[in-house]
Amino acid sequence: MFELLGIPPQALFGQVLLGLINGSFYAVLSLGLAVIFGLLNIINFAHGALYMMGAFVSWMLLTYFGIPFWFALVLSPLIVGAFGMVIERTMLRPLHELDHLYSLLLTFGLTLIITGIFQNYYGVSGKPYPIPPILSGGVNLGFMYLPKYRAFIIVMSILVCFSTWFLIEKTRLGAYLRAATENPEMVSAFGINVPLLVTLTYGFGVALAAFAGVLAAPVYSVNPVMGNDLIIVVFAVIVIGGMGSIMGAIIGGFSLGLVEGLTKVFYPEASTTIIFIIMALVLLFKPSGIFGREA
Amino acid sequence: MPENATVHSATALDLKGAEDNARSFRYQLVAFALVAAFILIAPQFLYPVFVMKLLCFALFAAAFNLMLGFGGLLSFGHAAFFGGAGYAAGHAAKIWGLPPEVSIMFAVFVTVLLGAVFGFLAIKSRGIYFAMITLSFAQMVYFYALQSPVTGGEDGLQSIPRNHLFGLIDMSSDENFYWMVATIFALGFLFVYRVIHSPFGEVLKGIRENEPRMISLGYQVQRYKLLTFIISAGVSGLAGGTKAMVFHLASLVDVHWTMSGEVVLMTLIGGMGTIFGPIIGAAVVVTMQNYLANLGSMVLIIQGGVFIICVLTFRKGIVGVIGSWLKVRL
């Protein structure tokens, strides 16, 4: 077998795959954050907690109601998204006119509560979630072994990312949304219910986080702190990609996951910090992020 | 912060004139006297380690409030300085065997350097961007602390000795060490007070109220912000280094982002942009954690609830509300 820079190809491709999977989660999560930030100017600190909630809800659906993965994939984002809409209506709306820092602080408080509640009831140990039978096992590609479920994660997240991008950049609804961020008075003068649009958008962003959570449930153990450190990495990803940029979130998410995976092969010690180092470098040369507009 | 800014500029207008300033100053003297009295008699009826913990957090919150309340800069990464200083002081005391005052000075030195680097990169951004960037930097420090053999990883630095003050006085008893912590708190807090009431502090408030105007007046706004960041980091380091010595322990808890959130909570509860707010806020949070500790994760829920209530309905904080009742700046 050939070797690349002294690294056995098995290990290399393994880490590349792992990087792509992490990248899928980064992309879907930062996409949700970008939708919420780009359209509502809210930094949703609770995003990591809502991702965890998505995973937990799918676990609860299976455990208590016997509802399988495929239905959870739709149901869980709907449930958590609805929860998000309630939050938006009751708590985030009153802060709308104030400095955006207050919504950051509010969602921080929410994170504590959501994490606390799940920890209180389920402890910190992980709950196993089985891989759906049709996706268990894997294929031997000759140069590496590809577990089916992991490939599924990557395909699903690419699909979701592309459809969201299409929805926001290419459809009429997306045009309304973008217009409503620029000039809400004008858009509501055209008879569009802007507050409803805002609520739905927040719900959609939250649903994206929950969707990532459902995808994550079978590969990571479902536990209350699963979103805790992930969310900070995702913040770094959207700073690098450019805050509020849909394209930046998607491309940034996948490529940074990949970079992280490769770092794990060549210099494992730096693998957890490489993204923050890249962030510092990007900030030095282009403070608005790679795909961001000048702030 | 515009909403906050209007509150402050309104009070500033109301309080124009030397007479009102003198009135504020009299009330501030009373508040100082109360704090001093508390520090002097607290060990009589409270567990000294608890009071020391409280003083460390109060100083940390005061340093943080300098940035948020007076500079309008919300850093979400101050745990890096607080916790980082703990490791620095712990390392100096445990591995190098340095006396406590030198260990803590070393921690301040490290955090000032760290603050200079992070600040230099972060101050180019504003508002939420700034918050997220500081948060990310802090997370870098967290991961370093988690992995590096120097910091003891998951275990942290344990049984850090307090050694001898100036190489002479044994600090291992809590009674002795209490007075050192009280002195550090007093000096640190007076320093922050001095900064707020200096011409530098006035410029800082000006930047918070109206940055473009300060730029057009010819102030080097970025330099002021950077210096504020460094001062705040240094004082946070002073607090964090001291805290590690109090508990003989530097651990991951103090560098984790939840600690960055906690200091925001303390400042919010106490009243951001007030002088004594951070002390009250720290007292409330530390007391709450101490007495609710046996409730486990309920603490998180309660803390989160307090956070949300503060943000939704109580944005002035305790001292802010008292101050507006008395029509003075506290």
Side-chain angles (χ1 to χ4, degrees):
Chain A
M1 258 322 236
F2 64 100
E3 286 205 355
L4 272 166
L5 302 160
I7 307 284
Q10 234 73 16
L12 182 66
F13 288 121
Q15 288 301 336
V16 166
L17 178 68
L18 206 64
L20 273 177
I21 290 164
N22 281 337
S24 305
F25 291 119
Y26 297 162
V28 178
L29 287 174
S30 54
L31 181 63
L33 279 173
V35 168
I36 294 174
F37 178 77
L39 303 172
L40 315 178
N41 263 318
I42 292 171
I43 278 294
N44 191 28
F45 205 106
H47 219 66
L50 294 162
Y51 155 84
M52 175 272 286
M53 205 170 153
F56 247 107
V57 168
S58 67
W59 177 84
M60 287 154 102
L61 287 173
L62 181 74
T63 313
Y64 301 137
F65 306 102
I67 296 172
F69 176 80
W70 299 104
F71 292 99
L73 204 52
V74 180
L75 268 181
S76 174
L78 282 179
I79 294 169
V80 181
F83 172 74
M85 287 194 255
V86 174
I87 299 286
E88 200 280 331
R89 272 286 147 113
T90 52
M91 295 178 188
L92 286 168
R93 177 142 315 166
L95 300 175
H96 197 66
E97 296 298 313
L98 302 178
D99 195 287
H100 303 314
L101 295 174
Y102 285 109
S103 55
L104 173 67
L105 296 179
L106 183 105
T107 46
F108 176 80
L110 268 178
T111 305
L112 295 183
I113 294 186
I114 298 172
T115 316
I117 288 175
F118 280 98
Q119 242 175 53
N120 208 28
Y121 284 100
Y122 296 101
V124 278
S125 58
K127 306 275 178 208
Y129 189 97
I131 292 178
I134 195 172
L135 291 172
S136 55
V139 231
N140 199 339
L141 299 178
F143 58 93
M144 68 176 294
Y145 178 79
L146 178 67
K148 277 192 212 157
Y149 185 76
R150 295 181 182 236
F152 171 76
I153 292 178
I154 298 172
V155 173
M156 280 310 273
S157 59
I158 291 175
L159 266 178
V160 165
C161 286
F162 178 76
S163 356
T164 308
W165 171 81
F166 187 82
L167 181 75
I168 288 171
E169 301 288 341
K170 300 289 169 202
T171 64
R172 184 170 289 259
L173 180 68
Y176 288 152
L177 276 174
R178 282 175 288 135
T181 37
E182 295 294 327
N183 194 338
E185 286 83 17
M186 176 81 87
V187 174
S188 54
F190 282 121
I192 291 159
N193 188 343
V194 174
L196 181 69
L197 211 57
V198 166
T199 308
L200 286 175
T201 308
Y202 188 77
F204 179 71
V206 167
L208 279 178
F211 182 79
V214 184
L215 281 185
V219 276
Y220 305 118
S221 69
V222 181
N223 70 79
V225 291
M226 64 192 283
N228 267 10
D229 290 329
L230 180 67
I231 182 67
I232 318 288
V233 178
V234 174
F235 277 172
V237 169
I238 65 172
V239 169
I240 296 169
M243 299 252 291
S245 157
I246 305 286
M247 222 33 178
I250 299 172
I251 297 177
F254 280 107
S255 48
L256 287 163
L258 205 55
V259 168
E260 202 184 49
L262 288 174
T263 315
K264 217 167 263 170
V265 179
F266 295 109
Y267 190 63
E269 291 82 359
S271 63
T272 45
T273 42
I274 183 73
I275 290 185
F276 301 110
I277 295 167
I278 295 176
M279 186 193 75
L281 288 175
V282 169
L283 283 175
L284 259 183
F285 298 108
K286 199 167 184 303
S288 55
I290 293 172
F291 292 87
R293 288 164 293 178
E294 285 299 324
Chain B
M1 315 185 82
E3 187 267 349
N4 200 36
T6 51
V7 173
H8 283 285
S9 51
T11 18
L13 278 177
D14 294 340
L15 297 171
K16 261 208 178 119
E19 203 178 298
D20 283 336
N21 272 333
R23 213 168 87 82
S24 281
F25 186 65
R26 279 200 299 276
Y27 277 92
Q28 285 172 12
L29 279 183
V30 173
F32 268 120
L34 287 174
V35 173
F38 174 80
I39 292 174
L40 287 175
I41 58 165
Q44 307 294 329
F45 58 95
L46 288 169
Y47 183 46
V49 174
F50 172 74
V51 187
M52 287 193 273
K53 182 181 177 188
L54 204 159
L55 292 178
C56 290
F57 276 106
L59 186 58
F60 181 29
F64 176 80
N65 183 44
L66 177 65
M67 276 188 60
L68 175 61
F70 294 93
L73 299 161
L74 173 60
S75 153
F76 229 109
H78 256 48
F81 308 123
F82 188 70
Y87 286 112
H91 192 80
K94 189 179 176 184
I95 313 294
W96 298 335
L98 294 173
E101 76 284 359
V102 182
S103 304
I104 293 171
M105 285 309 288
F106 174 69
V108 173
F109 172 72
V110 170
T111 45
V112 162
L113 279 185
L114 204 61
V117 176
F118 289 180
F120 176 76
L121 287 165
I123 49 154
K124 291 175 185 164
S125 322
R126 287 196 191 94
I128 355 187
Y129 297 80
F130 180 79
M132 289 178 45
I133 289 159
T134 46
L135 178 63
S136 302
F137 282 135
Q139 203 63 2
M140 213 158 123
V141 175
Y142 172 77
F143 280 123
Y144 177 80
L146 182 67
Q147 292 173 328
S148 165
V150 181
T151 54
E154 300 263 1
D155 302 326
L157 287 179
Q158 294 173 354
S159 48
I160 296 168
R162 287 182 193 154
N163 299 333
H164 289 63
L165 181 66
F166 307 120
L168 296 170
I169 311 161
D170 185 12
M171 282 286 125
S172 52
S173 80
D174 288 338
E175 286 74 24
N176 280 354
F177 200 62
Y178 179 80
W179 298 110
M180 180 171 173
V181 175
T183 313
I184 289 173
F185 169 79
L187 292 177
F189 189 73
L190 286 174
F191 173 68
V192 173
Y193 182 82
R194 201 56 227 127
V195 170
I196 292 168
H197 292 85
S198 66
F200 174 83
E202 294 302 323
V203 175
L204 192 59
K205 284 173 236 172
I207 295 172
R208 178 193 67 197
E209 303 295 332
N210 193 337
E211 189 172 331
R213 181 185 289 169
M214 295 309 274
I215 294 171
S216 64
L217 283 173
Y219 288 102
Q220 299 278 347
V221 167
Q222 296 297 78
R223 276 192 212 165
Y224 278 90
K225 284 187 182 175
L226 180 57
L227 194 53
T228 311
F229 197 100
I230 295 173
I231 292 174
S232 179
V235 179
S236 302
L238 181 64
T242 312
K243 192 218 161 203
M245 305 290 283
V246 170
F247 286 94
H248 307 280
L249 174 73
S251 72
L252 287 173
V253 178
D254 290 345
V255 265
H256 197 243
W257 59 259
T258 39
M259 181 56 74
S260 302
E262 254 168 47
V263 75
V264 184
L265 180 62
M266 290 171 190
T267 311
L268 258 180
I269 292 182
M272 56 180 155
T274 63
I275 295 155
F276 295 93
I279 300 181
I280 302 295
V284 171
V285 173
V286 171
T287 312
M288 199 167 81
Q289 285 173 345
N290 242 50
Y291 288 96
L292 301 178
N294 51 347
L295 291 179
S297 24
M298 276 303 283
V299 179
L300 276 183
I301 304 176
I302 294 169
Q303 213 165 316
V306 174
F307 224 111
I308 287 180
I309 292 167
C310 280
V311 171
L312 283 178
T313 61
F314 196 62
R315 283 186 285 272
K316 271 187 182 175
I318 297 170
V319 174
V321 168
I322 296 175
S324 52
W325 279 343
L326 300 172
K327 294 200 168 54
V328 289
R329 275 171 291 171
L330 279 176

